[in-house]
Amino acid sequence: MTCDMIAVDWGTTNRRAYLIDAAGQVLHTERDGMGLLAVPPGGFADEISGIRAKMGDLPVLLAGMVGSAKGWVNVPYLTCPAGLADLAGALHWVEPGRTAIVPGLCDRAGDVMRGEEVQLLGAVAAGLAPGDALLCQPGTHCKWARMEGGKVASFATAMTGEIFALLKNHSLLADFLGGDVEDGEAFRAGVRDGLSGRLTTRLFRVRAAALLGQRSIEDSAAYASGLMIGHDVGGENLREGDPVHILADPHLGRLYAAAVHCAGGQPILIDSHAAFVAGIFRLWKASQS
């Protein structure tokens, strides 16, 4: 099969490159730690040359933090609602016809994303989610997006993953959060408590519960994670049976699915990499028409 293009999902700490054929199928994938923070000033052009040297002298379409203020080019955000055609028409061409960067999106309420928009629109375009849906992208900064008519109509970001990492490493709770986080009774108890009540008070009581023998230190991390994720999910005010399409790696996807279920919703797990490939390939094709 003839190779058609190279797609790069460029995050803050990691980078993933896809070699894609003319039918939109992935022929080869490479993942490394050369995220935004690892690229030296003025080094993006050399990085693209290196990717082409490995994967072929092909057009490259870039998404994510490479288009941020600290990236290769600060590409302006598009305002929601926005669809694939809108993004394709606003690509920033670093090298005309050869190398382009996908713009991020901004919400009218004052929120931004870079990279996630490709997954969101790709999930709908590939039939992995309907055109009118609630999509969730867990991670360091969890995105909740409302899709309407196949476009990203609005979205909100929660710093759930980042705050949990800070709690684990730099808080009063750090010595109590070394245990594994899995979907079990401690995690679900945290979710139930996180769905209502004062989050910061319940977080303080994680330590107190361990000191008083009410919860084991080994279960404290799972409970605290449940608190954070439950609080995140609770912000969507799900009604009984509301479907939530979750784009995440398997472990985090299972945790959010459990929390959505506890909140009364219907979780539907989606392959986030498949969604990205579907979105970026359709963007490339749209830019050529």
Side-chain angles (χ1 to χ4, degrees):
M1 186 67 71
T2 303
C3 298
D4 197 63
M5 53 100 59
I6 298 167
V8 182
D9 187 2
W10 214 315
T12 301
T13 56
N14 295 301
R15 178 181 67 182
R16 193 184 298 265
Y18 302 85
L19 179 63
I20 302 176
D21 69 19
Q25 300 300 306
V26 176
L27 301 179
H28 180 65
T29 304
E30 291 209 3
R31 183 180 186 273
D32 58 35
M34 287 303 296
L36 175 74
L37 298 179
V39 179
F44 283 96
D46 289 340
E47 289 297 321
I48 295 302
S49 295
I51 290 173
R52 282 195 171 105
K54 291 181 179 179
M55 292 190 161
D57 188 21
L58 296 165
V60 178
L61 191 52
L62 310 165
M65 295 304 290
V66 65
S68 70
K70 294 184 178 180
W72 194 357
V73 180
N74 188 10
V75 181
Y77 295 103
L78 289 187
T79 303
C80 292
L84 283 171
D86 303 303
L87 287 176
L91 295 179
H92 179 91
W93 291 95
V94 182
E95 301 174 275
R98 289 269 295 164
T99 309
I101 301 174
V102 180
L105 297 183
C106 63
D107 184 84
R108 296 182 188 278
D111 211 324
V112 294
M113 66 167 64
R114 285 198 188 275
E116 295 92 349
E117 69 286 339
V118 178
Q119 283 188 17
L120 295 169
L121 295 167
V124 172
L128 301 174
D132 298 296
L134 172 62
L135 271 60
C136 173
Q137 295 167 298
T140 303
H141 301 142
C142 181
K143 304 290 185 184
W144 294 87
R146 297 279 175 178
M147 310 296 290
E148 295 179 5
K151 294 187 174 186
V152 182
S154 62
F155 65 91
T157 306
M159 295 175 63
T160 310
E162 181 172 355
I163 291 175
F164 184 65
L166 289 170
L167 290 171
K168 281 177 64 72
N169 296 310
H170 303 291
S171 78
L172 178 73
L173 304 181
D175 290 341
F176 297 83
L177 300 184
D180 295 332
V181 176
E182 300 291 345
D183 177 20
E185 180 49 42
F187 175 79
R188 295 205 177 203
V191 169
R192 291 190 292 270
D193 286 346
L195 287 170
S196 61
R198 294 171 59 180
L199 175 64
T200 50
T201 295
R202 293 189 184 279
L203 282 171
F204 180 83
R205 290 177 180 173
V206 170
R207 175 177 178 271
L211 293 175
L212 296 173
Q214 297 169 348
R215 182 181 304 107
S216 71
I217 292 179
E218 291 75 18
D219 284 340
S220 295
Y223 176 82
S225 176
L227 271 179
M228 295 297 303
I229 293 175
H231 184 74
D232 190 355
V233 171
E236 289 301 310
N237 297 312
L238 298 176
R239 296 169 298 182
E240 191 67 30
D242 276 352
V244 180
H245 294 77
I246 302 171
L247 295 89
D249 67 71
H251 176 69
L252 195 53
R254 286 192 296 270
L255 295 179
Y256 265 79
V260 167
H261 181 75
C262 288
Q266 177 190 355
I268 302 166
L269 291 171
I270 295 175
D271 184 336
S272 58
H273 299 303
F276 176 84
V277 170
I280 204 78
F281 183 71
R282 284 165 173 78
L283 275 174
W284 171 245
K285 288 302 182 184
S287 74
Q288 303 303 294
S289 61

